[in-house]
Structures are given as structure tokens and as C-alpha cells.
Amino acid sequence: MQNADLLVQHALVITQNERREVIEDGAVAVLGGRLAAVGPTTEIAAQFTARKIIDARGRALFPGLVNTHTHLFQAAVKGLGEDMGVEQWVQAVTFPTAVTMSPEEVYLLSLVSCLEILRSGATTVVDYMYPVKDPALHEAVIRAMLASGLRGRYSRMVNDTGEQAGILPQLIQPADEALAHAAELIERHHGAGNGRMEVGLSIGAVWGITESGLRATRRFADEHHAPITMHINESKFDNASTRERFGRATVPMLAHTGLLGPDLLAVHCVHMTDEDIALFARRDVKIAYNAVSNMYLGSGIPPIIKLAQAGLTISLGTDGAGSNNNQDMLETLKFSALLQKVAAEDASVVRAQTAVDWATRGGAKALALEAEIGSLETGKRADFFLVDPYTPKATPVHDPLATLVYSAGQANVVTTVVDGQVLLEDGVFRHLDEARILREAQKAAQSLAVRSGTERLLEKRARWRPA
Ligand SMILES: [Zn+2]
């Protein structure tokens, strides 16, 4: 008998491996944060003993979902400015919030986002923090990610222009300053949390960066092997402003400056021409599809089926809670499928299996982590969650994939494990005081709304008075 740290047995194991194998009475053995074995319970239980054994009878075991795009601090602005397009909304809601928040507020609100991400079955997240100048605010988000137990990538944003587009001067700094700070963050945090933390770069949008800023970001990314993520063609404003400033559309401009590459995670990609898609395909750019945010902000419908047919890797993101109002990856799974069905007027364009692939294998590949996460296979990281279907919303189950995409909610995600650590167990976080965090975050968000002026958006509306 071999010793394991954790044994989960008698589960319906959805491996999401190459052959999409499902093990009816399956088990996983976890050792040192990795999957030491995946197989039928009879085999695994005969081979391993463990200090901790979870009996998962009647439950399904899925590989952790990968949320490839969010802004964790935006939990602060849930329910503020929900009827605005993206350019108006960032100016009225998120920019004033970002330049007002304190490190403690950022920590608490980011932690709320992380807890919901874990409760919705996601085990990896890509954060995209606004380019605030106080290093303590960046540290606060990273602290929250590490404390939550999530696997994740923190992206330091480069934003060296954009006052003409309404970006506050406090959120603009020379590219070399932003990149010097990125180098410090990489030095300090890359590989932290037993390798859970990665540090990369981000660009807010093409209307917040100069041509030299784009080139400097690409140079830094190549030198430091730091991946880049960028909002691209979220609204029509991207192409309009790039044409005016540079005389060409956004994606050709990015190609011209060398920004496109397999390490670029392109977020939204709503307004894409066939030429844009071909340029992406040539450089193997990765896609973060944020269906809920695109609907919430009225941005449009990204041509995901076309992008997938061009051979591009599709992954799913919630986007920040400000343009979604939650961080629920299960809701995102559902909307991601539904929005494409609406666009195509064809229910068969996205199967439940495809949506689950986007959220697992696609997410892993988008982050170049396909050797580590995205499926339940021996040797990979032990990132997974258990679904108990016995709620009215999810019962009865026939096809577990269809249940996950269309019926399940956070109440069904009973246990979430990241890097072999059981973070959520039978619906309770074992490592953090969730109730206390939520109450303190509520107070922080209300104080922040008053100080940043966003509370004015609530004129003549009901205000929440916490008990
Ligand atoms: Zn975003």
C-alpha cells in the first residue's frame, strides 16, 4: 500500500482527458498537491491509504474550472451603473473606485470574488488589476489570491495614455515605470504558494496605450517569459479610436507592433473581421470569452464559433463583478453556450461537452498550463470539485455534463480542492471565516461608494442598510 494525502472515492469521475473518459465508480489519490492516481475505486483503494478519505457516493468529480478573465477588486461595484456601455461605465464606476480604494478594502473585496470563484467550481483565475500607482494595492490583490487558496495569474497593467478617452490621470503612467513594477512583482511573487501564483502583464485596451508602450510590453514579455492579456475589440470604440490614432484597425495594429503571439490572451474579441481572425490564427492567440459581461454591457456577441473553427483556443471568463454582478463560473458556462446558440439560431452549435471543454481544457491551454491542469490525469495538479445534485435546481440528473452547464448552481458545488488542499468541504470554507469576510466587505464597499462618489448613481433608488 502507498500513502496518499487524500483519497476521494466512489465518485462519478468526469476526467476530461483526451478521450473524455468517465469512470462510474471512480477515485483519485492525491499526493504532494498532485494526482498520484485516477481510476476505478476498486483499483485505487487497493493501492492507496490516506490520512483523509472523502466518500463521494452520489456525487460527480470534475476538474477545476479555469476563469481566464476577471478584475477581482470589482466586487466593490456590484449593482452600480448596470445600464451603461463600457466606455461610460469605466469612467462613472470602476475608475473612480480604483483610485479611491485602500489596500484593506482591495484585499477584502478581492477575497469575496475569490470565494465565489471557488464556490462555483473554479480553481484557477486570471486577475487583471487596474494600473493604480500605490504598490500596496497590487500586493493586496495578490495577498487575497494567495489567502483564498486559488491557483492564479496576476497581471500588471501597462496604461501609458488615454486621458482623451476618459482614463483618469492617476491610472496612467509611463510604460517603463509599469514594467519596472511588473519586474518587481515577478521577482517577489512568481511561483509563490507552492507554484500556484504566476505574474504576467496586461494592457487595458488599445485606447490606453501608445505604440511605443505596445512595443515595450512585447519586449518585456519576451525577455521575462511573462504572458500578456488584453481587452481587444470589446466595443466598436477600439477600432474607431485605433483608426483615428494609427490609421489602421486594432488587430492589424497589434500585429504590426508584434504584440500578437501564443502568449497573448485576448479578452472579449466581440467585433472581429475575418482578417482579424486570420491574424489571430496565424499567431496562435488565445481567447477569453466573457459572455455575461458582453451581454451586461451590451457589447455584442463575440464570434466564438468562427474563432474556434479557425483553430483558436477558447476559454471562459466571468469578467469583473462590476460588469457581471457575480463571479459565478457555472452561470458563465450556461450563458457561454446560450449566447452562441442565439447568435447562430441553432441549438446544436455548442454542446454541453464543448462548454465544459472551454472551461477546463481550453482554460488550461489558454494559460499554457495544459500539462498541469484542465483534466483529471495522473501527474497533473490536484485541482477539482465535487457536485452533489440534490437540490431542486439540479435534480434529477441524467447527463452530468448537461447538469453542470444548465442546471447546477453554487449550492451543488460542495467541495473544492486546489493543489491538493481541501478549501471548501461540504459547503464550508475550512481555511477562512467567510461570514466575517462578507460582512466586512459590505461595509468596505459602502464606504468606498460614498468616498468615490459612485453612490450618486443610486439617486432615487433603494439603498441597502446592512443589519
Ligand atoms: Zn475585463
Side-chain angles (χ1 to χ4, degrees):
M1 289 291 258
Q2 286 172 260
N3 280 318
D5 300 326
L6 168 69
L7 206 55
V8 181
Q9 55 189 27
H10 301 301
L12 175 68
V13 178
I14 314 294
T15 66
Q16 282 294 99
N17 66 11
E18 191 77 47
R19 289 184 288 140
R20 307 297 189 274
E21 272 170 289
V22 173
I23 309 167
E24 280 202 3
D25 181 355
V28 296
V30 176
L31 183 63
R34 290 188 184 270
L35 295 168
V38 180
T41 300
T42 47
E43 276 174 34
I44 306 293
Q47 216 182 320
F48 289 91
T49 58
R51 281 186 284 114
K52 185 175 176 66
I53 296 177
I54 295 177
D55 187 333
R57 239 172 276 256
R59 294 174 169 184
L61 183 65
F62 287 90
L65 308 180
V66 182
N67 182 354
T68 61
H69 183 67
T70 189
H71 312 273
L72 293 168
F73 82 89
Q74 283 186 9
V77 297
K78 279 178 194 171
L80 286 174
E82 72 273 26
D83 303 319
M84 299 175 186
V86 62
E87 296 85 18
Q88 189 194 359
W89 169 78
V90 288
Q91 289 178 38
V93 184
T94 63
F95 291 163
T97 302
V99 299
T100 308
M101 55 200 182
S102 72
E104 189 48 30
E105 287 165 343
V106 175
Y107 174 76
L108 275 169
L109 292 156
S110 298
L111 202 47
V112 170
S113 291
C114 291
L115 293 179
E116 191 188 2
I117 289 167
L118 288 164
R119 278 202 176 278
S120 65
T123 52
T124 300
V125 67
V126 178
D127 185 61
Y128 199 114
M129 177 62 171
Y130 284 16
V132 285
K133 286 172 193 166
D134 180 359
L137 297 166
H138 297 270
E139 297 293 332
V141 179
I142 293 171
R143 224 164 12 100
M145 290 170 77
L146 286 168
S148 75
L150 274 166
R151 187 177 305 288
R153 180 194 293 175
Y154 184 77
S155 317
R156 174 56 161 99
M157 197 186 286
V158 184
N159 196 88
D160 66 351
T161 186
E163 269 185 88
Q164 75 290 346
I167 300 177
L168 296 175
Q170 300 98 302
L171 296 175
I172 298 173
Q173 71 186 140
D176 55 352
E177 265 177 41
L179 292 167
H181 184 229
E184 279 175 39
L185 291 176
I186 290 171
E187 180 72 30
R188 204 171 314 136
H189 298 295
H190 189 81
N194 194 35
R196 283 186 288 117
M197 178 63 67
E198 186 186 12
V199 179
L201 302 172
S202 63
I203 297 170
V206 74
W207 35 277
I209 195 152
T210 60
E211 178 165 353
S212 66
L214 282 170
R215 292 187 190 278
T217 304
R218 169 42 77 198
R219 236 184 350 261
F220 181 98
D222 290 345
E223 279 166 18
H224 292 79
H225 304 289
I228 309 171
T229 185
M230 178 174 182
H231 296 118
I232 296 175
N233 290 344
E234 176 175 4
S235 78
K236 290 180 179 150
F237 183 62
D238 269 33
N239 277 329
S241 67
T242 323
R243 278 212 182 86
E244 200 183 298
R245 288 172 63 216
F246 303 112
R248 41 179 127 210
T250 302
V251 174
M253 174 63 193
L254 297 178
H256 171 71
T257 54
L259 198 83
L260 303 187
D263 60 348
L264 175 66
L265 176 61
V267 181
H268 297 307
C269 311
V270 176
H271 302 279
M272 300 285 286
T273 63
D274 289 347
E275 186 202 357
D276 295 340
I277 295 173
L279 284 168
F280 268 19
R282 202 169 308 149
R283 299 293 292 132
D284 191 21
V285 172
K286 311 298 191 293
I287 311 293
Y289 168 33
N290 295 257
V292 176
S293 174
N294 297 154
M295 295 162 80
Y296 185 94
L297 295 172
S299 302
I301 304 175
I304 296 299
I305 305 302
K306 254 188 173 182
L307 290 161
Q309 281 166 351
L312 290 155
T313 299
I314 311 295
S315 69
L316 303 184
T318 53
D319 209 347
S323 64
N324 177 316
N325 278 18
N326 66 49
Q327 294 288 283
D328 189 336
M329 271 298 280
L330 296 174
E331 192 179 276
T332 287
L333 261 181
K334 181 168 183 169
F335 279 115
S336 299
L338 297 186
L339 185 58
Q340 296 302 318
K341 291 168 189 265
V342 170
E345 295 185 27
D346 176 358
S348 72
V349 291
V350 182
R351 313 246 172 215
Q353 178 69 67
T354 309
V356 174
D357 285 356
W358 288 342
T360 55
R361 300 175 65 88
K365 201 167 166 210
L367 306 188
L369 287 175
E370 64 268 36
E372 297 279 43
I373 59 172
S375 60
L376 297 173
E377 291 175 86
T378 303
K380 283 199 175 184
R381 297 282 181 179
D383 292 6
F384 53 79
F385 65 103
L386 277 171
V387 168
D388 181 313
Y390 293 108
T391 63
K393 190 172 187 224
T395 303
V397 181
H398 294 291
D399 170 359
L401 291 174
T403 295
L404 190 75
V405 176
Y406 297 114
S407 310
Q410 292 181 30
N412 302 107
V413 176
V414 288
T415 295
T416 305
V417 173
V418 183
D419 216 38
Q421 304 296 313
V422 184
L423 302 175
L424 181 74
E425 188 173 8
D426 289 324
V428 179
F429 283 110
R430 300 294 173 179
H431 61 315
L432 290 167
D433 183 348
E434 186 182 36
R436 185 187 59 78
I437 292 163
L438 297 180
R439 288 200 173 271
E440 288 181 5
Q442 174 66 34
K443 271 191 227 153
Q446 284 189 286
S447 157
L448 192 48
V450 171
R451 281 161 30 236
S452 65
T454 56
E455 207 211 18
R456 284 194 299 271
L457 296 164
L458 294 170
E459 228 165 45
K460 298 192 192 112
R461 293 215 249 161
R463 279 175 168 73
W464 178 254
R465 304 269 176 243

